[in-house]
Amino acid sequence: MQLIWRTDDSGTVRKGTMSGPRPVVLSGPSGAGKSTLLKRLMKDHEGVFGFSVSHTTRSPRPGEEDGKDYHFTTREAMQEGINNGEFIENAEFSGNMYGTSKAAVENVRAKNLICILDVDIQGVKRIKESDLDPIYISIQPPSMEILEKRLRDRQTETEESLQKRLEAARIDMELSKEPGVFDIVIINDDLEKAYEELKKILNEEITKVQEAK
Ligand code: ADP
Ligand code: 5GP
């Protein structure tokens, strides 16, 4: 299977031939629980999902692996990749650059796996302009207060980074209410319930991949 990407006159990345299961975009405020749900989903369904490994200029957190959680890079290197047309989308979030390379998605789709993209709301908007045609899922916290507590308890952010993330979360929570942006919004209050809801939405695609084996 060969994937052909082209950029049209408006600068939008369009893909040519592409087949296989529909990709999935997981979005929502930082600290809402995307990684927690995603890791569990991938562990429970081995050989079904593949993670689109994004690039970022932020520093790795303890336990994060280069090439697995992210491709950790510099602003200069990432900007060069963007200038060379290597990215489907990229965004500035909380003082760092993040982006999805074409190769990240192609690597997963070449294996005929369901490609999962974890991107912020800016990424969602850019992907909507592409031909990727994913299922759009938003993971939301029950409230700002609970989100703040989860982010603080995670102990990964400085106070400055935490405040930036909370500000971005306010915008995300407003935008995700707009009709038509997401196929489904999951409120991650009780983790078990949120996980069951996520599996239910993805059931059809999961079955397709399992049956194709
Ligand atoms: P994200 O990937 O969206 O930034 P994480 O998956 O890292 O968020 O979750 C943020 C923190 O909240 C983590 O420490 C995680 O263990 C915790 N968490 C996630 N879901 C729940 C939940 N339903 N109830 C309580 N804590 C949760
Ligand atoms: P974190 O630093 O917590 O891993 O991620 C911060 C935010 O960046 C999250 O909202 C996450 O979804 C988003 N993000 C991660 N990778 C990408 C990407 O490739 N593109 C975009 N637009 N956002 C991303």
Side-chain angles (χ1 to χ4, degrees), residues 28 30 34 54 58 61 70 89 91 93 98-100 118-120 123 154 165:
S30 168
K34 299 178 296 295
S54 293
R58 83 152 163 77
R61 293 176 187 145
Y70 280 106
E89 61 80 34
F93 181 92
Y98 292 81
T100 309
D118 175 345
V119 300
D120 82 327
R154 194 172 72 181
R165 281 164 190 259

Side-chain angles (χ1 to χ4, degrees), residues 61-75:
R61 293 176 187 145
E64 281 185 333
E65 278 178 48
D66 188 33
K68 185 166 174 268
D69 298 283
Y70 280 106
H71 297 290
F72 295 100
T73 184
T74 59
R75 243 171 216 280

